[in-house]
Amino acid sequence: MSTSDNFYVDRFRNFVALKFQLYNSLFMSLPFQKIEKTGILLSLFQNYCEEEFAKGSSPVRIIEEFFKQREGFDSIQLQNDLLFRFVQYTERQVVLFDALEDAAFSKVNDMAGKGTLKQLEMQVAQNKSEHALGEKLKSFAVQPVLTAHPTQFYPEEVLGIIRDLSKALQHNDTVLVNTYLQQLGKTPFFKQEKPSPYDEAVRLVWFLENVFYDACANIMVSLKRSFPDIVNVYNPVVRMGFWPGGDRDGNPFVNSDATWKVALALRGGILKCYYLQLRRLRRRLTFKGVEELLVALESKLYENVFIPDRQTSISKEELLDTMYQVRKIVVERHDGLFLHLVDNLIFKIHIFGLYFAVLDIRQDSSIHKKLFTELERLSLVPSGYGEMGEEEKISWLTANAKEVNGISFGEATLDDTMASMRMMKNVQMMNGEVGCNRYIISHATSPLDIMQVYALFLMSGWQRETLAVDIVPLIETIEDLKQAGAIMEALYRNGTYRKHLEQRGNTQVVMLGFSDGSKDGGYLMGNWSIYKAKETLSAVSKQFGISVIFFDGRGGPPARGGGKTHRFYAGQGKNIACREIQLTVQGQTISSNFGTVESAQYNLEQLVHAGIANELFTEKESTLSADDEQLLQEIADNSFIAYSRLKAHPRFMDYLLEISPLRFYSDTNIGSRPTKRGSGKMTMDDLRAIPFVASWSQLKQNVTGFYGVGTALQKAEAAGQLGRLQDLYKSSLFFRALIDNCEMALQKCFLTLTAHLRDSERFGAFWQMIADEYELTVQYILKLTGHQHLMEAYEVERMSVTMREKIILPLLTIQQYAMARIREIESSTLSDVSEGVYGKLVTRCSFGIINAARNSA
């Protein structure tokens, strides 16, 4: 470990670990029944769990023996009451730890170090790359897209307490910390009802208003300060995207009314931000010639924000025109006093316009197919359309699609799909074209999927010449990723679609799904397939003169494309287009990585730096060679074989449903979207990636983050290729990021929790498969990296993971105990009212377990 690493490790110990021990004592004042006894017993229980797991005891035995050794817990009800109190206590300990890490963020991270704009400034100066940077910044942007995927287990009230608690901790205000902890004790974590799509949108608008509004502008200000002659405000380097209220895929609760309400909320949110900043600006700009302009603009913003029936027309151009007039007067007449405050607001208007974030619309391709079945029934497409070949269908659509009016399909989802396309035009008229100009097609598997959507827009009233919408295929499964290049080449060759692309600036956005890719093919194959798809799509697009932009559907954990995301972008090499970095940011990741202005700016800088550095400073030699790619293809293939064998095991789904908390995921009420697509018995095809990954995470068997890696590396060694992989780990940023993320998944495993299953007649063999692969992967990862232990290169993060896992050990034990009791009850012929109690225990434990992991869902 370097001196710098030691410095930050010591700071973590002092500002997080030590403070956690000190402030933990304040939990004795939480307003829970018998709280003092609960705290003492929880400490004893945690130690007892550690000791007994080390001896090989099962969760059921641990809890039974713990209660046998304590007086006053003779009945099951008394025992369960204490377990629920343990859950309440522990999940609030997790909150304290989160708040401490947030408070210490700038102390345990190098805010001017690797991957920051400060490093970029030094690299540009050293390499004399000012001109190259200027060219890059003409079109480059980072666009995080906030989604309402159900991975946020903190309700908004608790997130608010975490933010306030973090500030109190920064100032060492013990009295205020104690007050917030008492508030935390009275604040429920569990919601009785699921949120509506609009509720989800409002929660995320809060982050736009209170975090990204300043963080995005700070990045532009920093770039302008460092490179005053290069940075162009007309192309903001950071902008935001938004899915709540627009993402219909598998969510029947999202409709056009919800979309319109969300568009209004986004517009209202940004105008409110401008209004409040303008009021603050007026306190400084009290100069002659300036105040009149600001008062008039403030009045107009006030009417738009606070008096709905008196809204007047306002445009981005009007806002900018006024602010540039103000700027000119400040420079020419008032010596540039407070000019930086004026520029800050100008930057924000360029970044956010009147839309705040681009509202995407998404729907599954199966719904579009169903629409065309209905259109055929209504004789709006030729009879026999469904029997036509793909090329024949595309030929008819490109020649004959035209507006259809006054039709109803008799099914809300189908009617809404058409209505959503018309709605996009209304949103553009209100918030500007950029405010809602992308339509994403989930499970896009052929050119027809894209051309049918193009035709539906024409049928919805759009004109070919003025269709201001980017049609974005979302490609997800391993097989579809292999066909991605062929799909897009066919579209580029289609004259009608090519003309549409010309109208859209010869730019094509392609979305790639990491979550379903890993669910389908396992960790290595999922990531490698996306890498290869990007490489192929980059080459095909370049051949046809199209600028391709990749939009990555990433989640929080490594298994869903999360982890150290910026390192993947920094290591893509020269063969993958990187005009922009677009990626989804979901639930947990929003609050943990972008929960404060400080952390958001730091993590946005990492992405900005990665995208720029990959093009400006990456040596051609660091791009994977053909031999390197062949080697990685071989280990991906071998890992896929191993993972497929696990998925094909007859006990795979039974294990998830009976051992993991999967079937209770929907009971958490954290999102509006159902856990699976369709109805009926749960299958792998219908199961969504989020609950799938989160269930393995709660089992502490992060299968989707490591399974098959050990087998693949072992086979590589047998073929004499391990040395080459060791060299590749040192030279390739991409491969190193891939392995480092796998280490994180392994570090968060705790197979001892379920080790008792090795003796199970039903699940013993299946559990052993997972355990063997885990041990094999740890062994070969350490051999590959040369490290003594996992996450050795990220010591601060390893310490954080270790502390978090220790805090939630009681929850893991209780959850598995409850699952075991449910299995016992279900296997008997007698009904037992306590089954519902155990189900609630499972659900309640999920909150603390998922929250502690920060990126496990």
Side-chain angles (χ1 to χ4, degrees):
M1 205 166 31
S2 68
T3 303
S4 174
D5 290 336
N6 277 321
F7 174 75
Y8 289 106
V9 166
D10 288 342
R11 298 198 105 188
F12 181 87
R13 289 195 181 104
N14 293 331
F15 290 101
V16 179
L18 179 59
K19 281 192 171 185
F20 178 75
Q21 300 304 325
L22 294 173
Y23 283 111
N24 200 28
S25 62
L26 293 179
F27 276 88
M28 292 301 175
S29 63
L30 285 175
F32 294 156
Q33 179 189 15
K34 303 175 183 176
I35 187 63
E36 185 173 352
K37 188 174 183 180
T38 300
I40 295 170
L41 287 173
L42 178 59
S43 179
L44 293 171
F45 180 60
Q46 185 180 56
N47 291 333
Y48 190 71
C49 288
E50 291 178 3
E51 293 169 2
E52 290 301 308
F53 275 128
K55 296 176 184 176
S57 297
S58 69
V60 171
R61 177 177 172 79
I62 288 171
I63 289 180
E64 286 179 344
E65 291 300 316
F66 179 79
F67 282 123
K68 283 181 184 178
Q69 298 173 21
R70 308 257 161 349
E71 295 181 0
F73 297 99
D74 300 327
S75 71
I76 294 295
Q77 181 177 340
L78 288 173
Q79 293 175 12
N80 287 339
D81 285 346
L82 181 63
L83 294 179
F84 273 111
R85 294 209 302 275
F86 282 172
V87 172
Q88 286 181 306
Y89 197 107
T90 303
E91 62 190 1
R92 284 156 177 83
Q93 286 182 310
V94 174
V95 168
L96 174 61
F97 197 85
D98 281 348
L100 280 165
E101 285 206 322
D102 287 348
F105 188 87
S106 62
K107 295 181 175 66
V108 300
N109 290 282
D110 188 350
M111 306 299 284
K114 194 171 184 179
T116 64
L117 294 183
K118 193 67 179 174
Q119 187 195 25
L120 177 65
E121 183 180 359
M122 294 170 60
Q123 287 175 306
V124 170
Q126 289 169 0
N127 292 276
K128 295 182 172 55
S129 306
E130 288 84 356
H131 177 73
L133 176 64
E135 291 299 307
K136 177 70 175 175
L137 292 180
K138 286 180 180 178
S139 59
F140 176 73
V142 167
Q143 182 170 315
V145 179
L146 307 185
T147 80
H149 286 69
T151 68
Q152 178 54 267
F153 279 71
Y154 282 135
E156 60 269 29
E157 297 86 354
V158 175
L159 286 170
I161 295 172
I162 292 175
R163 286 185 284 270
D164 294 337
L165 181 58
S166 175
K167 291 178 183 177
L169 289 165
Q170 281 181 322
H171 295 97
N172 292 314
D173 190 336
T174 307
V175 174
L176 200 53
V177 169
N178 189 44
T179 303
Y180 290 145
L181 289 179
Q182 290 188 55
Q183 179 190 1
L184 191 64
K186 291 180 176 290
T187 304
F189 280 48
F190 181 76
K191 294 286 187 181
Q192 296 301 320
E193 296 181 353
K194 294 181 184 292
S196 70
Y198 181 72
D199 294 333
E200 292 171 326
V202 169
R203 291 177 188 174
L204 294 187
V205 168
W206 187 96
F207 284 95
L208 289 173
E209 294 175 347
N210 293 278
V211 178
F212 291 102
Y213 182 69
D214 286 321
C216 294
N218 290 348
I219 287 176
M220 288 298 294
V221 168
S222 296
L223 283 169
K224 188 67 175 174
R225 187 187 302 123
S226 300
F227 311 105
D229 300 325
I230 294 175
V231 175
N232 180 359
V233 296
Y234 297 100
N235 179 55
V237 173
V238 183
R239 57 175 182 261
M240 300 302 299
F242 206 77
W243 272 20
D247 181 10
R248 287 152 166 73
D249 178 14
N251 191 338
F253 304 107
V254 177
N255 55 38
S256 294
D257 288 340
T259 303
W260 182 249
K261 283 180 67 178
V262 171
L264 286 170
L266 288 166
R267 177 186 173 90
I270 189 57
L271 291 180
K272 181 175 70 174
C273 287
Y274 294 155
Y275 170 77
L276 294 173
Q277 185 164 351
L278 201 62
R279 283 184 62 84
R280 292 191 296 270
L281 187 60
R282 279 189 58 204
R283 293 170 62 184
R284 302 279 77 84
L285 299 185
T286 52
F287 316 140
K288 186 176 181 180
V290 172
E291 191 171 15
E292 297 84 352
L293 291 168
L294 295 180
V295 168
L297 185 56
E298 180 189 325
S299 176
K300 201 163 191 178
L301 286 170
Y302 180 86
E303 290 181 351
N304 272 272
V305 173
F306 299 110
I307 311 178
D309 59 341
R310 285 181 56 190
Q311 287 186 355
T312 54
S313 64
I314 193 168
S315 67
K316 173 183 175 182
E317 290 70 30
E318 181 183 353
L319 290 170
L320 286 171
D321 181 62
T322 302
M323 292 310 302
Y324 277 120
Q325 287 183 58
V326 169
R327 189 183 197 282
K328 187 172 186 292
I329 295 170
V330 169
V331 171
E332 293 180 354
R333 302 186 201 171
H334 303 292
D335 305 317
L337 192 59
F338 299 122
L339 184 62
H340 65 289
L341 299 180
V342 177
D343 285 342
N344 184 278
L345 183 52
I346 289 174
F347 275 130
K348 287 171 177 173
I349 297 169
H350 279 294
I351 294 169
F352 301 113
L354 298 186
Y355 56 89
F356 220 155
V358 179
L359 179 59
D360 288 340
I361 306 298
R362 179 170 78 132
Q363 184 56 280
D364 192 82
S365 62
S366 62
I367 301 299
H368 306 136
K369 290 181 175 73
K370 204 171 179 182
L371 264 171
F372 275 91
T373 299
E374 290 300 300
L375 287 167
E376 182 179 355
R377 183 180 64 81
L378 295 169
S379 301
L380 293 170
V381 297
S383 176
Y385 175 86
E387 304 304 317
M388 291 180 183
E390 181 163 313
E391 290 186 11
E392 189 179 359
K393 285 179 180 178
I394 291 175
S395 178
W396 187 90
L397 290 171
T398 55
N400 300 288
K402 59 185 178 180
E403 184 175 3
V404 293
N405 291 309
I407 59 169
S408 173
F409 299 99
E411 185 176 328
T413 301
L414 301 184
D415 288 333
D416 178 74
T417 300
M418 295 290 281
S420 70
M421 294 177 175
R422 291 189 287 269
M423 173 68 68
M424 292 180 73
K425 187 181 292 186
N426 296 333
V427 175
Q428 289 188 8
M429 290 174 64
M430 177 176 68
N431 291 354
E433 180 196 310
V434 183
C436 187
N437 66 351
R438 305 203 304 186
Y439 191 99
I440 299 164
I441 310 165
S442 297
H443 295 108
T445 62
S446 71
L448 180 62
D449 287 332
I450 290 85
M451 293 309 300
Q452 286 191 150
V453 167
Y454 174 82
L456 287 172
F457 269 101
L458 302 182
M459 293 177 178
S460 300
W462 289 82
Q463 300 301 309
R464 294 172 189 263
E465 299 78 15
T466 56
L467 177 53
V469 176
D470 294 326
I471 301 172
V472 181
L474 168 51
I475 304 172
E476 301 173 271
T477 67
I478 301 302
E479 192 55 41
D480 290 338
L481 288 166
K482 290 178 182 177
Q483 300 303 318
I487 292 171
M488 296 314 301
E489 180 173 350
L491 287 167
Y492 294 157
R493 291 185 183 280
N494 181 285
T496 299
Y497 190 74
R498 183 60 187 268
K499 188 172 182 180
H500 172 65
L501 287 182
E502 288 173 4
Q503 294 168 195
R504 303 301 296 159
N506 282 317
T507 297
Q508 173 69 56
V509 180
V510 178
M511 187 172 181
L512 302 167
F514 281 78
S515 299
D516 283 290
S518 293
K519 175 187 164 218
D520 184 40
Y523 177 70
L524 270 185
M525 179 58 90
N527 278 275
W528 180 243
S529 295
I530 287 175
Y531 182 96
K532 288 298 294 178
K534 284 185 176 183
E535 205 171 50
T536 302
L537 288 166
S538 297
V540 169
S541 299
K542 186 176 182 180
Q543 176 188 341
F544 285 88
I546 302 297
S547 177
V548 66
I549 295 173
F550 296 117
F551 176 19
D552 291 343
R554 294 180 180 270
R560 296 185 53 236
K564 300 192 173 300
T565 305
H566 61 280
R567 294 184 178 273
F568 283 105
Y569 294 114
Q572 286 184 147
K574 300 291 188 182
N575 296 334
I576 293 178
C578 191
R579 173 175 151 183
E580 296 188 10
I581 291 177
Q582 298 187 9
L583 71 164
T584 55
V585 184
Q586 305 172 3
Q588 259 190 334
T589 311
I590 297 172
S591 58
S592 60
N593 288 0
F594 302 93
T596 66
V597 174
E598 199 171 45
S599 62
Q601 183 174 339
Y602 177 83
N603 285 300
L604 287 171
E605 284 189 21
Q606 295 289 317
L607 291 169
V608 170
H609 180 274
I612 294 173
N614 178 59
E615 184 167 320
L616 265 61
F617 311 124
T618 299
E619 298 295 331
K620 189 173 182 180
E621 290 74 20
S622 64
T623 299
L624 294 173
S625 68
D627 288 343
D628 292 335
E629 291 203 1
Q630 179 59 37
L631 179 58
L632 291 181
Q633 185 66 58
E634 289 171 8
I635 65 171
D637 288 339
N638 285 326
S639 74
F640 179 60
I641 292 169
Y643 179 73
S644 299
R645 193 179 301 123
L646 181 76
K647 280 206 307 179
H649 195 286
R651 289 286 178 254
F652 188 89
M653 280 304 297
D654 292 340
Y655 187 85
L656 272 176
L657 290 169
E658 296 178 34
I659 306 298
S660 87
L662 172 62
R663 54 179 158 151
F664 295 98
Y665 199 87
S666 62
D667 295 340
T668 57
N669 288 339
I670 60 170
S672 66
R673 192 173 74 165
T675 304
K676 68 184 188 72
R677 295 180 172 93
S679 57
K681 185 178 179 181
M682 189 175 290
T683 65
M684 270 294 286
D685 289 339
D686 293 331
L687 179 58
R688 289 189 175 277
I690 290 173
F692 177 70
V693 172
S695 296
W696 287 113
S697 172
Q698 290 178 79
L699 276 176
K700 292 299 157 186
Q701 300 172 343
N702 294 312
V703 161
T704 48
F706 76 83
Y707 202 93
V709 176
T711 295
L713 293 177
Q714 185 184 48
K715 287 183 178 295
E717 182 182 47
Q721 300 287 3
L722 189 61
R724 282 185 60 200
L725 287 171
Q726 289 169 331
D727 292 338
L728 196 60
Y729 178 78
K730 295 173 184 175
S731 64
S732 167
L733 285 173
F734 169 78
F735 186 56
R736 187 155 67 248
L738 197 63
I739 296 302
D740 290 351
N741 262 2
C742 182
E743 283 192 75
M744 184 190 295
L746 291 166
Q747 181 70 38
K748 293 184 178 182
C749 288
F750 181 58
L751 270 72
T752 307
L753 176 69
T754 50
H756 60 282
L757 291 172
R758 64 160 54 97
D759 300 322
S760 165
E761 182 178 344
R762 183 168 167 76
F763 294 116
F766 184 78
W767 183 90
Q768 197 61 54
M769 281 181 70
I770 296 171
D772 289 346
E773 185 66 24
Y774 167 80
E775 295 293 343
L776 190 66
T777 304
V778 171
Q779 174 189 341
Y780 274 93
I781 286 283
L782 296 179
K783 190 179 287 190
L784 175 69
T785 62
H787 295 159
Q788 298 300 307
H789 57 256
L790 296 172
M791 293 185 71
E792 185 177 301
Y794 306 98
E795 198 63 33
V796 169
E797 293 175 34
R798 189 185 70 83
M799 290 171 65
S800 174
V801 169
T802 301
M803 287 192 69
R804 288 173 176 276
E805 295 300 307
K806 182 173 182 177
I807 292 169
I808 61 166
L809 183 59
L811 297 186
L812 297 169
T813 309
I814 293 168
Q815 187 179 70
Q816 278 303 301
Y817 164 79
M819 288 298 302
R821 289 299 188 214
I822 291 169
R823 290 196 297 275
E824 286 178 13
I825 294 167
E826 290 178 343
S827 65
S828 68
T829 56
L830 300 174
S831 62
D832 192 328
V833 294
S834 63
E835 182 177 359
V837 174
Y838 291 124
K840 289 179 181 177
L841 260 181
V842 171
T843 302
R844 294 297 292 112
C845 286
S846 292
F847 283 75
I849 295 170
I850 296 288
N851 286 332
R854 282 210 151 181
N855 69 343
S856 61

